[in-house]
Amino acid sequence: MAGADRIPDDQWRLDDESSERAEHEPRLVPLTTETAVNLSHQRLTRAVYVVTAEHLGWYLIAVYALVTRAIALGVRPLDAVQARDALAALALATHGRAALAAGAGLHASWVAILQAWIFAAVGATDATSRIVVWLCGLLMVASGFAMRPFIGRAGALAFAALIAISPSVTYFSRGGSTAIASMAFVMIAIAIAESMRRQPGLVRAAGLGVAIALWLSADPIGYATAAAMIVSLILVGAGGAVRIDHRRLRLRVWWERRRAVVIVCAIVAAGLWIFLTTAFFSRSLATVLEYDLRAAFVRPSIATGRFVLRLLPILAIYEFIILILAIAGAFAIVSRRIAGRFAAWSVVWTIVSLVMLATVGANRSDAVLAILLPLIILAACGLDWMHRSERWNSIRYAIAAGVALTLYVQFAVNFVHPAPDTSEAPWRRHALLFWSEPATSIQTVRECRRARNVVSPAGASAMIPDDHETPQVRWYLRDFALTDSPAAANIVVTIGKTQSGALAGNPDASQFGFEEWWTPDFGALTMPGAIRYLLAQRAWSDVEIRDLGIAIARPDSTPLR
């Protein structure tokens, strides 16, 4: 063919242009399997652990709970109940089991026994007297992680977060209330019981028995919580039995399958409860049980008044975000937007707890914890349901605003005004709703410290007229020997009169405001006053203040001025 050139690979080209272009094209370099790799970059950028949003949430909650519970733990003075427990723990640390036989065991729960070991190891201070309860408060937050299988991941996060930011839970965790220890093991028992529904076993049954024993023996509020829980379980069980057929057969089959588990749990719970309640069999079970039941239950006329004047204001003013979310969660459960036996039982448990506390509960201020727990579970169920909905992106802003206000209240209650200052002027006096029972003033710690600085405790003695009525003074003067003779005492303590806060606050030079308590007059509360109290914690009605005198004297001499 004219104009055609033959190339070596037997392919024909029609002109010289292609061959010329081929000569000028760059020659391709064959690929090799070996490539340059930056091993240092690979090793430094390798993902060691992937942090999800859930993981980050748990980390933040853990750090926040630890900081808000631990910082300045010893700033607030011990109140009467906590001082009595601390003195019992100190006696156990000093004298061992002999203190139980001597009568210190009347207030020596397992919390005080563990606290005695801490005193023996690191010494006795206000901060160390609260370590066991502080740890139980952290355990209560951590129990939310065990609830992930039955309230959802978002619900478990919400549960832990609401406990962490709760002004009431934080206040009693920092104050050393043994009700915190009882409520912590309520949650542990619930988590173990729910896990046993899916995977029963003898080890878990024994663990449930231990949790129940610790829950009941930590604080008298445990008996009120147990009564409410038993009634709620009976009601839920009876309601379920009505809707099924062959009830006796089903009950018999259940007993045959779970008999060993129930027996092990009952034996462990009963045995350990008796062992702890009697403080290692050093005191009468009947005496201690009578004491605890009297502390947990009162007549309906007293219970209703305390519930309305003490617990409801705490829920409405301090725990409003939990209350609102719990109502939303209960609505979702009742309307069957949230399904599940546990969610339904939570509604019944909340109602029974409210009714029981309002009718027969002794209702100290820390009894609010017994109603907060079921409310927080309802709120967590509601938040988990909201988080699954398409409206979450708009709902979360309203929830964030409520959480921010709750954080403000938590900070004000626990760090700005954690204890009474009886030197405040009546028109600018601050008070907390938790002070329905006498709270120790900051002046008590200062005056007792002044007395210790003037008189060396070595070989010195103090006369405290009523050691059971003023255990705080005994705690802060614990290094002094007690004496009944004012003439032989280096320090003489006298209990003054109780008067209205409008008159108190400036007692005689030899006296100071020792305790303060507040019964708010809600008839005088207006909406602006409620907002002002929420933001500044300023009392809108008078408080009650009891004075105390501490005179420093030489033995067999007149008091020094």
Side-chain angles (χ1 to χ4, degrees), residues 429-445:
R429 194 179 301 280
H430 298 86
L432 302 182
L433 296 173
F434 303 125
W435 298 346
S436 54
E437 295 179 349
T440 307
S441 68
I442 59 177
Q443 282 75 20
T444 302
V445 181

Side-chain angles (χ1 to χ4, degrees), residues 49-355:
Y49 184 75
V50 178
V51 178
T52 64
E54 183 187 10
H55 293 156
L56 182 60
W58 283 111
Y59 295 152
L60 292 176
I61 291 171
V63 172
Y64 183 81
L66 182 63
V67 171
T68 54
R69 269 68 174 172
I71 189 171
L73 188 60
V75 168
R76 178 156 42 119
L78 267 64
D79 295 334
V81 176
Q82 287 76 45
R84 194 174 293 114
D85 291 340
L87 288 172
L90 184 60
L92 289 171
T94 306
H95 305 291
R97 294 198 62 175
L100 298 175
L106 183 60
H107 304 287
S109 65
W110 60 265
V111 177
I113 294 172
L114 291 179
Q115 197 61 62
W117 293 348
I118 295 176
F119 283 167
V122 299
T125 64
D126 284 6
T128 58
S129 70
R130 294 165 170 154
I131 289 180
V132 175
V133 172
W134 170 70
L135 292 174
C136 290
L138 295 179
L139 180 63
M140 187 187 301
V141 177
S143 66
F145 190 80
M147 301 178 67
R148 293 166 75 241
F150 42 94
I151 63 174
R153 291 186 173 186
L157 272 172
F159 176 86
L162 290 174
I163 289 182
I165 70 173
S166 167
S168 303
V169 176
T170 306
Y171 182 86
F172 294 114
S173 296
R174 293 174 53 82
S177 172
T178 52
I180 288 288
S182 181
M183 295 300 104
F185 283 96
V186 167
M187 293 312 307
I188 297 299
I190 291 174
I192 296 175
E194 281 297 311
S195 68
M196 289 178 61
R197 287 180 55 195
R198 296 170 174 82
Q199 191 175 358
L202 295 181
V203 175
R204 296 190 182 192
L208 178 59
V210 171
I212 292 174
L214 294 173
W215 149 24
L216 293 176
S217 58
D219 187 90
I221 193 64
Y223 294 103
T225 309
M229 189 170 292
I230 291 173
V231 172
S232 64
L233 289 173
I234 292 174
L235 292 176
V236 171
V242 171
R243 297 192 299 269
I244 62 175
D245 298 327
H246 310 292
R247 289 183 288 273
R248 291 186 178 180
L249 179 60
R250 289 174 179 266
L251 181 60
R252 182 178 177 181
V253 170
W254 179 88
W255 174 250
E256 291 296 331
R257 290 179 176 179
R258 303 287 189 266
R259 177 172 52 190
V261 171
V262 173
I263 293 175
V264 169
C265 178
I267 292 175
V268 172
L272 186 59
W273 170 73
I274 294 174
F275 184 70
L276 294 175
T277 302
T278 59
F280 310 145
F281 304 109
S282 64
R283 50 186 178 172
S284 169
L285 177 63
T287 302
V288 178
L289 189 58
E290 180 184 3
Y291 174 86
D292 288 343
L293 292 179
R294 287 181 179 274
F297 301 101
V298 295
R299 296 192 304 271
S301 58
I302 300 176
T304 303
R306 291 180 178 178
F307 181 81
V308 172
L309 295 178
R310 294 182 179 183
L311 302 191
L312 283 184
I314 294 175
L315 292 175
I317 297 178
Y318 291 164
E319 308 292 349
F320 55 89
I321 185 66
I322 294 176
L323 194 60
I324 293 172
L325 292 175
I327 293 174
F331 170 78
I333 295 171
V334 172
S335 61
R336 297 188 177 181
R337 290 176 172 84
I338 300 177
R341 191 177 299 178
F342 180 79
W345 170 75
S346 300
V347 175
V348 179
W349 183 30
T350 304
I351 296 173
V352 172
S353 297
L354 283 170
V355 172

